[in-house]
Amino acid sequence: MTIDPPPRGDIRLGQEEIMTKTELNITGMTCDHCKLGVTNALKSVPGVTDAQVDLKSGKAVVEGEVEAQQLLNAVAEEGYSAQVANQ
């Protein structure tokens, strides 16, 4: 029996659950306080299991079962602009 690997960016957990990585480009962050606010906002979205934000590059990588629009809304509520990377 052969098990096919999951598509790139997805991690299979058990039989049904799939965790997706979403990369965001975020503009407007200027300090560590900004980074912390965005990180906490992303982690507070239901379904997010992890969020890593890089201040210097302005990128965030979010893991979990969540719609990209929910992530964009969370960033906007913190006062920053975001878009899904590579779209």
Side-chain angles (χ1 to χ4, degrees):
M1 181 166 115
T2 304
I3 298 175
D4 295 325
R8 287 189 78 167
D10 292 345
I11 301 168
R12 288 197 190 271
L13 301 173
Q15 294 275 344
E16 312 236 348
E17 188 177 349
I18 296 178
M19 186 168 39
T20 303
K21 286 186 180 183
T22 305
E23 186 173 322
L24 304 175
N25 293 321
I26 302 170
T27 56
M29 296 186 301
T30 59
C31 64
D32 285 334
H33 182 73
C34 300
K35 173 186 168 180
L36 181 61
V38 171
T39 301
N40 288 338
L42 291 169
K43 286 182 174 182
S44 73
V45 175
V48 170
T49 57
D50 192 33
Q52 300 295 319
V53 179
D54 183 70
L55 178 63
K56 187 174 180 178
S57 69
K59 295 197 182 292
V61 176
V62 183
E63 295 181 16
E65 279 192 74
V66 62
E67 295 290 325
Q69 190 60 52
Q70 293 175 282
L71 302 174
L72 299 176
N73 291 344
V75 173
E77 287 176 14
E78 281 297 307
Y80 305 97
S81 298
Q83 63 184 31
V84 178
N86 300 323
Q87 281 195 347

